[in-house]
Amino acid sequence: MIHIAASLLSADMAKLAEAVKLVTGEVDYIHCDVMDGHFVPNLTFGAPVVAAIKRVSSIPLDVHLMIEAPGRWLNDYIKAGLDERDFLTFHYEAEPDPVSVIARIRSAGIKPGISIKPGTPFEEVAELVGSVDQVLVMTVEPGFGGQHFMHGMLPKIESARTTAGQSKVVAVDGGIDPQTAPLVVRAGADLLVAGNAIFRRGDPVRAVRDLREAISNLL
Ligand code: DX5
Ligand code: ZN
């Protein structure tokens, strides 16, 4: 079963609730990109906006923290109303004590995820995979939507799937469109995050269906 997450980063920031409604019924998750201007060279929104999105969304959230020292800010995200259907994913490179952050997310009743940037070898997080519900392999340098998919990440997706087994989610984020979706699914990804390919194509509903169509013969 392949799931799709719509990244609000590419939606109209003045109409986030509308964007959520537009894709509800088509995608499986709403992907929220939290950026702090330090860990990544871009700034988006924080816990109050995540809480607001949670309030208007009937489908689960896939929260992607691209912030320095996520453990320091974790309580704000835990208090944002996330529940056992939602993922809360942070970057391995940003956190000195990932084991404790994972444990805190889990004890809050939220599904923990760990993400790695393109330059981080999968081997560095291999030991953490057993304690998370999602491994997120970045297929672009995190920070901006609309970048080109990095084909060199395909072996990393394969390693993640081999280590994770079938019980965990292997997510990919960056440059996913109907051309690249089949490549990542073949490599073992089962959660595809897409921003531009959904919200910058005119008709988001049609765009999600095009993504599903592109991988339909692989399932
Ligand atoms: C980038 C973000 C992505 C972004 C992907 O750092 O993590 O979620 O929205 O955008 P596209 O799908 O346009 O590459
Ligand atoms: Zn993301």
Side-chain angles (χ1 to χ4, degrees), residues 7-10 31 33 35 40 64 66 91 136 138 140-148 173-176 193-198:
S7 172
L8 293 179
L9 185 62
S10 302
H31 184 88
D33 288 302
M35 303 186 188
V40 288
H64 179 193
M66 285 162 278
H91 270 266
L136 172 57
M138 289 306 298
V140 297
E141 212 49 70
F144 299 93
Q147 303 183 77
H148 287 296
D173 185 5
I176 302 301
V193 178
N196 269 31
I198 292 177

Side-chain angles (χ1 to χ4, degrees), residues 96-109:
D97 188 1
V99 173
S100 102
V101 170
I102 291 166
R104 286 168 64 200
I105 295 171
R106 192 171 294 291
S107 67

Side-chain angles (χ1 to χ4, degrees), residues 169-194:
V169 170
V170 174
V172 289
D173 185 5
I176 302 301
D177 61 22
Q179 283 69 50
T180 57
L183 308 178
V184 295
V185 168
R186 260 190 233 112
D190 61 352
L191 176 56
L192 314 188
V193 178

